[in-house]
Amino acid sequence: MKSRWYVVYTKSRNEKKVEANLNRLGIEAYCPVKTEIRVWSDRKKKVFVPLLPSMVLVKLLESERNEVFNVPGVVRYMFWNGEPVVVREDEVAVLKEVEQSKDMTLESVDVLKPGARVEMSDFGFGEEYGEVKHVSGNQCWVVLKKLGFVVKLQLQ
């Protein structure tokens, strides 16, 4: 069986520690980061901030999935429709390329707001975009007008 990339939730501000500990155990882990300049009253400093807060990508076989729980700070896997989320290899490659590129920078990961358009084609709804109708806590309702559906998404 082939190893796949999964998304693991971590305790808050533990992403880089979890990544290092997983790699030390021999589990390929990746925490995409962006560089920010933080300003204090007496100095400026370049810091690396996780691009996906409280998340780390891990590449392993399905049979090895429980191994990640041997690392302090790992909370659980991300699930979608009762199945663990699998990230495609090419998507991870794009994250790594953007992170290492001097020509490209990732400015932000946007928060969903009512009225925003969300690309939905990857979810198999047959519709390219949906409109965010309402956001409450970690839930989001997206209207798919052509299909006549309102989809409730769980945000993490």
Side-chain angles (χ1 to χ4, degrees), residues 5-54:
W5 286 99
Y6 296 97
V7 181
V8 192
Y9 285 118
T10 67
K11 290 182 181 177
S12 181
R13 299 180 181 261
N14 276 242
E15 302 91 348
K16 296 301 286 173
K17 285 182 215 169
V18 167
E19 177 191 31
N21 289 333
L22 286 167
N23 284 323
R24 223 175 281 127
L25 280 179
I27 297 172
E28 186 176 353
Y30 174 57
C31 177
V33 294
K34 64 179 179 176
T35 306
E36 288 184 356
I37 304 294
R38 297 278 170 98
V39 180
W40 287 269
S41 61
D42 60 338
R43 67 188 185 286
K44 289 183 182 181
K45 186 176 181 181
K46 188 186 293 189
V47 294
F48 299 102
V49 179
L51 188 59
L52 307 170
S54 297

Side-chain angles (χ1 to χ4, degrees), residues 113-116 118 130-135 140-143 145 150-151:
K113 295 179 182 162
V118 179
E131 181 181 332
V132 176
K133 189 68 176 173
H134 180 69
V135 178
C140 173
W141 287 261
V142 177
V143 177
K145 291 180 182 175
V150 175
V151 179

Side-chain angles (χ1 to χ4, degrees), residues 114-132:
R117 287 174 47 126
V118 179
E119 188 173 345
M120 299 296 287
S121 57
D122 289 343
F123 296 107
F125 290 109
E127 221 176 300
E128 193 169 330
Y129 290 96
E131 181 181 332
V132 176

Side-chain angles (χ1 to χ4, degrees), residues 1 3-8 22 27 58-71 74 76-79 82-86:
M1 188 171 202
S3 58
R4 300 157 69 175
W5 286 99
Y6 296 97
V7 181
V8 192
L22 286 167
I27 297 172
V58 294
K59 186 175 185 179
L60 37 72
L61 298 170
E62 174 79 25
S63 60
E64 300 172 329
R65 279 195 26 233
N66 286 336
E67 297 295 316
V68 300
F69 297 111
N70 293 328
V71 173
V74 172
R76 64 184 175 92
Y77 279 96
M78 176 187 283
F79 281 82
E83 294 291 320
V85 171
V86 176

